[in-house]
Amino acid sequence: MPDPVSRIRRFNRVVTAEVGALDTSFLGRGRPLGAARVLNAIGQGCGDVGKIRARLGLDSGLASRLLRGLEDEGLVETAPDADDARRRVARLTEAGKAEFAAYEALSNAQAGAFLSRAARTEALLDAMDLVASTLGRGRITVEEADPRGAEARWCLGEYYAELGRRFASGFDVARSRDPDAEAMVRPRGVFLLAMSDGLPVGCVGLKGSGGAMAEVKRLWIAPSARGLGLGRRLMDEVEAAARSLGVATLRLDTNGALGEALALYRTTGWREIDRFNDDPYPDHFFEKQL
């Protein structure tokens, strides 16, 4: 059998060739991948030059050269930040917006071509998600979000589907004490999303009433992002949010089928207490003083 290092290097060679990483004209648009990625970052809303460097892992010299090249093409303009002259902000010109749209269309077509060649599409996508989450671990962010938004609803749908698979009796959200969205929006509560390069990979909610007690709800991590410490990170973030709202006591409930969750709570300062609701699904109840 090939050794692990050889398998990784094979993967790297195939991906480098397939995405055109070494092409002098990436996707046939007349510039290499580095310049295209800078253009893409700006088009995706990352205009702060310092953030562009961090996002793409560029040193200041290379970032400056790439930006200067895009400026010379008339695709990008840079100027001092209105609030902090020490920072520079880049934005796309009208020509830059058109070029960004062209790259988006070509990149989507390339992705479609990859999928058309796959014998097992879902297995391929699952593997890609695992690679992206693992290698991009340091870029995963935790952001407050509207629990009624599309990304939040996708996470919750995946969470409910997983409960249905793991609970012996299945799971029907209509029978659960599902929190109203308003209870997970400031100033009563919060809803947090873990985002990996623009895609959601986890969530957790804080259900509050404006008082000193609130409940942690709907902690979920995508399978591709498990084992990266993201569950603990989300719990730390939701506890910090609770403190900012003046919450002194947190509670949560869970089911014995969710062994990972039980282990997390028992090792992070939560203590088991008596049942505090009539939800038919949980059989373990916890509390934590902040």
Side-chain angles (χ1 to χ4, degrees):
M1 286 292 292
D3 65 275
V5 170
S6 296
R7 293 168 69 185
I8 291 173
R9 294 185 63 184
R10 168 189 175 247
F11 174 84
N12 291 345
R13 289 193 296 270
V14 170
V15 172
T16 298
E18 287 296 322
V19 303
L22 300 182
D23 294 349
T24 56
S25 178
F26 179 64
L27 293 178
R29 299 302 295 177
R31 62 192 62 83
L33 177 62
R37 290 189 71 204
V38 172
L39 187 77
N40 177 267
I42 299 169
Q44 295 287 352
C46 182
D48 183 283
V49 173
K51 291 181 179 178
I52 293 172
R53 290 200 305 265
R55 177 172 174 167
L56 301 182
L58 303 174
D59 63 51
S60 58
L62 179 55
S64 295
R65 290 193 294 275
L66 292 173
L67 280 168
R68 188 160 52 247
L70 293 171
E71 288 178 309
D72 291 344
E73 290 189 70
L75 303 178
V76 169
E77 295 175 342
T78 60
D81 184 86
D83 298 321
D84 185 351
R86 295 170 299 178
R87 298 168 58 231
R88 295 189 65 79
V89 177
R91 70 173 187 85
L92 298 183
T93 63
E94 290 304 313
K97 292 176 183 177
E99 194 66 12
F100 171 74
Y103 271 123
E104 287 292 281
L106 288 168
S107 295
N108 287 341
Q110 183 188 63
F114 289 166
L115 290 176
S116 70
R117 289 151 51 189
R120 294 180 295 155
T121 301
E122 285 305 316
L124 175 63
L125 291 172
D126 287 344
M128 288 179 167
D129 286 343
L130 178 61
V131 171
S133 295
T134 302
L135 299 187
R137 176 179 185 172
R139 295 192 300 275
I140 295 176
T141 60
V142 176
E143 307 167 6
E144 287 194 28
D146 187 334
R148 296 159 292 198
E151 291 165 336
R153 288 188 286 105
W154 179 82
C155 284
L156 292 172
E158 292 295 301
Y159 171 75
Y160 299 147
E162 181 165 352
L163 296 188
R165 294 189 297 270
R166 296 181 66 171
F167 289 1
S169 61
F171 180 80
D172 179 359
V173 68
R175 297 182 60 213
S176 174
R177 292 175 58 88
D178 196 40
D180 293 332
E182 291 77 8
M184 296 191 293
V185 176
R186 288 183 185 270
R188 295 174 62 185
V190 294
F191 192 83
L192 303 178
L193 285 176
M195 301 293 293
S196 174
D197 289 304
L199 296 180
V201 293
C203 67
V204 68
L206 179 71
K207 170 191 171 185
S209 61
M213 181 177 292
E215 289 184 52
V216 175
K217 306 290 290 186
R218 306 322 191 209
L219 175 66
W220 176 79
I221 308 298
S224 65
R226 292 176 187 174
L228 304 179
L230 195 50
R232 183 182 292 261
R233 181 176 170 189
L234 281 171
M235 290 297 289
D236 288 343
E237 294 278 357
V238 82
E239 288 179 23
R243 290 187 184 94
S244 75
L245 292 171
V247 173
T249 303
L250 287 176
R251 285 181 172 177
L252 60 80
D253 58 47
T254 191
N255 185 284
L258 306 177
E260 312 96 309
L262 283 170
L264 174 63
Y265 305 145
R266 286 169 173 163
T267 57
T268 53
W270 291 79
R271 66 179 185 88
E272 292 201 52
I273 61 173
D274 293 335
R275 173 180 283 273
F276 57 81
N277 62 39
D278 58 359
D279 191 312
Y281 293 108
D283 49 22
H284 289 75
F285 301 82
F286 291 84
E287 184 175 276
K288 187 173 188 178
Q289 301 297 322
L290 298 180

